[in-house]
Amino acid sequence: MSAPWTAETWPIAAAMIPFPGMLPDGSLVQDAPAETWAATLAEVAAAGFDAVDPTDSWLRIADLDKARRAEFLDICRDLRLGIPAISTSRRSVIDPAHGADHLAYGHRVIDTAAELGVGHVSFGFFGPLTPAQQRATWFWTEQGPRNPDDPATYRLAVERICDLARHAEGCGVTIALEMYEDTYLGTARDAVRFVTEVDHPAVRLNIDIGNLIRLHRPVEPWAEMIRLCLPFAGYWHVKNYYRMEDSATGQVMTHPAPLLGGTINWRAAINAALDLGFDSPFLVEHYGGDGLGVCAQNRDYIRTILAGRRSRHDQTV
């Protein structure tokens, strides 16, 4: 980072999860004409965003040929949308059937990030949605794939992330590993253990604790997760959920919420990160409803936190 970001310039990217990767006619966004991409990205820009993460559940820019990638970049430039990071989704490098292919894809993502001057990429160990998850109103209410409780597979996960890390370091790219249930990053302590075992300067944690708070099961308190993981924080996916627990029956219910209104106190979490020198971009996410509109509100909320931080500093100097 050449100069400290301000509340106005801190990169806060829109996630593309509100937009499906398949068009109404059954064709893929990946294969769509550039005009289709432009129409979607124009919505992002109209919502007030100046940054976008081309999340690969929507479009795999690392798998576009040179000409198509140039078309994508021209659209972003025309709309004044920067790309601070690239996130991958459900392409685990230890997938039992496709792990080697996903590893090769991960290297292409790093190469693409380096080519475009993108400083951050996000990887995770979560697998594709099961049929039950695809049918559910909220996919996290159904059990998804689990990483195996197997030392050999765990070691393979460490080795493959180290392989990506060596590549990323040589390209000036930082990897963020996304926290997600039932993976080797499925609790705060598991995530800290894994990133410590990788022990590489190019690897940080994507402390996406919303993925865990939304589960209909007991989870660690959000503040404890933040406390344990912040020393390793990198590119950060942020979202919130209402979490309701019935202590008499043990029943848990959750629902997507704006950052300002859910269970996680994001003002406290972000301020704690800044106290430790956090200096990576944010990605705002939301499921359901007008996801893009809520993401825009979340972006503005983060900027008020950052501005308050600046104001507090000004009063003490």
Side-chain angles (χ1 to χ4, degrees):
M1 192 168 62
S2 58
W5 292 319
T6 67
E8 295 75 26
T9 63
W10 202 293
I12 304 176
M16 296 305 289
I17 59 175
F19 303 99
M22 182 176 290
L23 298 170
D25 64 2
S27 63
L28 297 177
V29 171
Q30 189 76 16
D31 302 323
E35 292 78 10
T36 300
W37 304 341
T40 301
L41 291 169
E43 291 188 55
V44 174
F49 281 97
D50 58 11
V52 65
D53 177 333
T55 321
D56 69 1
S57 58
W58 176 68
L59 179 70
R60 302 186 315 278
I61 64 169
D63 283 345
L64 297 174
D65 64 29
K66 186 174 181 179
R68 293 273 279 166
R69 191 146 63 231
E71 287 183 307
F72 179 81
L73 293 175
D74 286 344
I75 293 166
C76 290
R77 290 191 191 100
D78 289 345
L79 294 171
R80 298 183 180 179
L81 289 171
I83 306 174
I86 302 171
S87 291
T88 67
S89 177
R90 306 191 184 283
R91 291 176 170 82
S92 169
V93 296
I94 55 166
D95 181 277
H98 305 290
D101 289 340
H102 293 336
L103 177 63
Y105 171 71
H107 283 290
R108 294 198 299 276
V109 170
I110 292 169
D111 282 335
T112 300
E115 172 192 330
L116 304 184
V118 173
H120 303 263
V121 295
S122 180
F123 297 113
F125 295 124
F126 48 108
L129 296 174
T130 67
Q133 287 180 306
Q134 293 174 26
R135 291 191 298 268
T137 300
W138 303 120
F139 63 83
W140 57 86
T141 62
E142 294 286 346
Q143 179 62 54
R146 299 176 184 266
N147 287 171
D149 183 13
D150 169 52
T153 305
Y154 188 93
R155 177 49 47 189
L156 178 65
V158 171
E159 291 172 354
R160 287 187 168 176
I161 294 301
C162 286
D163 180 28
L164 291 171
R166 288 188 292 270
H167 182 185
E169 183 180 37
C171 295
V173 173
T174 300
I175 290 170
L177 299 176
E178 184 172 352
M179 296 174 68
Y180 200 95
E181 78 267 14
D182 300 324
T183 72
Y184 297 142
L185 308 163
T187 70
R189 285 168 176 79
D190 286 345
V192 168
R193 176 195 170 198
F194 189 89
V195 74
T196 301
E197 292 220 16
V198 169
D199 190 24
H200 194 285
V203 178
R204 310 295 289 171
L205 288 179
N206 174 355
I207 313 177
D208 192 351
I209 63 172
N211 288 340
L212 307 178
I213 288 295
R214 70 190 178 192
L215 299 176
H216 286 199
R217 65 175 92 159
V219 297
E220 300 161 294
W222 70 265
E224 179 75 356
M225 290 191 260
I226 290 293
R227 183 184 67 81
L228 290 170
C229 295
L230 273 186
F232 307 93
Y235 178 49
W236 201 351
H237 293 184
V238 294
K239 54 182 176 282
N240 214 347
Y241 292 83
Y242 298 109
R243 181 178 174 89
M244 294 150 282
E245 301 183 18
D246 185 336
S247 58
T249 65
Q251 184 177 22
V252 178
M253 300 290 286
T254 65
H255 191 280
L259 288 190
L260 179 62
T263 297
I264 302 164
N265 181 343
W266 279 107
R267 183 180 298 274
I270 291 171
N271 274 317
L274 296 173
D275 285 342
L276 293 179
F278 177 77
D279 63 354
S280 296
F282 293 99
L283 174 76
V284 285
E285 297 183 301
H286 187 80
Y287 287 99
D290 178 2
L292 178 61
V294 176
C295 284
Q297 293 175 344
N298 289 344
R299 175 204 64 221
D300 294 344
Y301 171 61
I302 292 173
R303 294 210 189 280
T304 66
I305 297 171
L306 298 172
R309 180 85 175 188
R310 179 73 262 172
S311 176
R312 186 171 64 186
H313 172 75
D314 290 343
Q315 293 173 10
T316 62
V317 296

